[in-house]
């Protein structure tokens, strides 16, 4: 029942009506009674004071109260005034307290007349509210909340031309807040709706892990590089600092897989180091190597390096070394087990989906040789290889994420737990990746002096090779991928140079 405060101002000074003694009541008495009943919410008593109330009299009152979420009503009647010998009106003001929109004041008029020798209220819809006259309507409607506005980890807007739009759009429906705004709208036949009151919803903000500086630098590094992607992580947390993706044909840097080429030698090297092959141990790097009774493999450009340390074989990306060592020291199961330790064949819960990569089991030496150099059945996402570089830097594989951990769980499920890697293996890999930049395939390319990395050139059946470069610098790890870009050194490393110099 409405809590109605009625302030009666009837009485002193009211004009005197000239009416026959046979007319029952007076305008003041009927108005007093009507407003008192309205105060109590006694619709039956109100109807008894109305001349020929419509059949939906009570329903109209209830509907207005319920539809507009009215919590209380205050009425302040004015002085009655005559409008004829047997007609009068009482102006009044009112305030309806709406649950969603607060106080809504209005002005109204209660009309009265003598009917059947008694003063009665001449009720019409505008008695409830003037805007209900002549078929007018009042409606309380929801204002939908706008799409979530993604922001960087610092709370800033995402840089323009970030090349992250496809991922940010995925977050809009997922992070839509349940809240909404409200508006009170008046309608009249033949006229456009008119807003009377409104409480607009605030645009929800979806905070990402993206760094404004890193995202801007990554996007600018990809300017002019068609069909490419750059993923940047913080190794200590797994946060995605930048996700710039210019891959065409709806390919995704977090969900679609490609052959990784020599960047996968990082995983093969981890397997060989785990089997006891030391970084300083001398190994052969011939121009060609033939697996006994099986196929031959060649170095890029048929480069012959003779005997080199295993670390230098990695730095120079000797295919023949890795094929020979993998097929003599490892089984297909060994290589697969190491890849699984680095979370291959696992989904990645980023908040926008993701996966790492896969590799088929094999007992065939030829297939093992191909897999060992990142060809054959090995396929990965750029996101996965960024996570590999981050794991080398920190010594722990961490699940990459674009959102806070609680949001990731809500949207993608439980992320993979951190995996602590063998300290001796990752320490050796750090030095070996440093050698790549110092005197290996990424040397003399303009990279800052404190960068470590690994180039990759991946043959594929679809045409020109894919170009890769993974690396780290301080608490920052990255993967550059240029689809059909050619060699890692010529196509991917320059992107990393622009990115790192742009930070």
């Amino acid at each position: 029942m409405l809590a109605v405060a009625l302030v009666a101002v009837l009485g002193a000074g009211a004009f005197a009506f000239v009416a026959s003694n046979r007319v029952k009541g007076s305008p003041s008495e009927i108005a007093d009674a009507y407003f008192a009943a309205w105060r109590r919410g006694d619709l039956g008593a109100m109807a008894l004071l109305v001349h020929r109330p419509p059949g939906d009299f009570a329903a109209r009152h209830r509907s207005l109260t319920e539809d507009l979420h009215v919590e209380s009503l205050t009425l302040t009647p004015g002085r009655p005034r005559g409008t004829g010998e047997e007609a009068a009106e009482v102006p009044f003001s009112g305030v309806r307290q709406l649950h969603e929109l607060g106080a809504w004041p209005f002005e109204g008029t209660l009309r009265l007349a003598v009917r059947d020798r008694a003063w009665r209220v001449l009720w019409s819809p505008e008695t409830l509210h003037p805007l209900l006259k002549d078929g007018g309507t009042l409606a309380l409607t929801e204002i939908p909340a706008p799409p979530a506005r993604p922001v960087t980890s610092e709370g800033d807007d995402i840089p323009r031309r970030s090349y992250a739009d496809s991922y940010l759009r995925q977050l809009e429906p997922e992070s839509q807040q349940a809240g909404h705004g409200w508006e009170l709208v008046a309608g009249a036949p033949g006229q456009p709706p008119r807003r009377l009151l409104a409480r607009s919803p605030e645009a929800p903000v979806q905070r990402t892990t993206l760094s404004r500086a890193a995202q801007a630098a990554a996007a600018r590094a990809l300017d002019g590089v068609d069909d490419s992607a750059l993923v940047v992580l913080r190794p200590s947390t797994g946060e995605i600092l930048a996700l710039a993706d210019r891959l065409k044909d709806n390919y995704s840097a977090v969900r679609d897989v490609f052959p990784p080429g020599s960047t996968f030698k990082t995983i093969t090297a981890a397997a060989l180091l785990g089997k006891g092959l030391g970084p300083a141990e001398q190994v052969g790097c011939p121009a060609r190597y033939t697996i006994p009774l099986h196929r031959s493999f060649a170095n890029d450009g048929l480069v012959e390096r003779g005997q080199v340390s295993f670390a230098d074989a990695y730095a120079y990306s000797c295919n023949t070394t890795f094929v020979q060592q993998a097929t003599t020291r490892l089984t297909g199961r060994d290589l697969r087990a190491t890849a699984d330790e680095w979370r291959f064949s696992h989904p990645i819960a980023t908040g926008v989906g993701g996966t790492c990569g896969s590799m088929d089991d094999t007992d065939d030496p030829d297939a093992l040789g191909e897999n060992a150099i990142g060809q054959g059945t090995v396929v990965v996402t750029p996101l996965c290889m960024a996570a590999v570089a981050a794991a080398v830097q920190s010594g722990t594989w961490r699940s990459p994420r674009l959102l806070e951990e609680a949001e990731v769980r809500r949207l993608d499920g439980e992320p993979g737990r951190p995996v602590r890697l063998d300290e001796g293996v990752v320490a050796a890999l750090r030095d070996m990746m440093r050698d790549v930049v110092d005197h290996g395939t990424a040397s003399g390319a303009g990279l800052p002096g404190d960068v470590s990395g690994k180039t990759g050139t991946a043959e594929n059946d679809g045409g020109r090779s894919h170009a890769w470069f993974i690396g780290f610098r301080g608490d920052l790890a990255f993967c550059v991928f240029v689809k059909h870009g050619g060699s890692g050194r010529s196509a991917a490393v320059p992107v990393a140079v622009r990115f790192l110099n742009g930070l």
Side-chain angles (χ1 to χ4, degrees), residues 271-285:
L272 291 169
L273 290 165
K275 288 293 185 178
L277 178 58
E281 187 169 335
Q282 294 294 297
V283 292
C285 179

Side-chain angles (χ1 to χ4, degrees), residues 181-237:
W182 295 90
E183 62 179 354
L184 180 62
V185 178
Q191 298 181 22
R194 180 162 59 96
R195 176 184 283 186
L196 305 176
L197 293 175
R199 190 192 72 198
S200 298
E202 293 185 5
V205 172
Q206 176 64 72
R207 190 177 293 269
T208 69
T209 61
L210 297 177
S211 156
R212 180 175 177 81
Q215 185 65 46
R220 300 296 70 78
L222 291 188
D223 283 344
V225 184
D226 207 19
D227 226 0
S228 58
L230 174 52
V231 182
V232 184
L233 306 180
R234 177 174 283 128
S236 60
T237 63

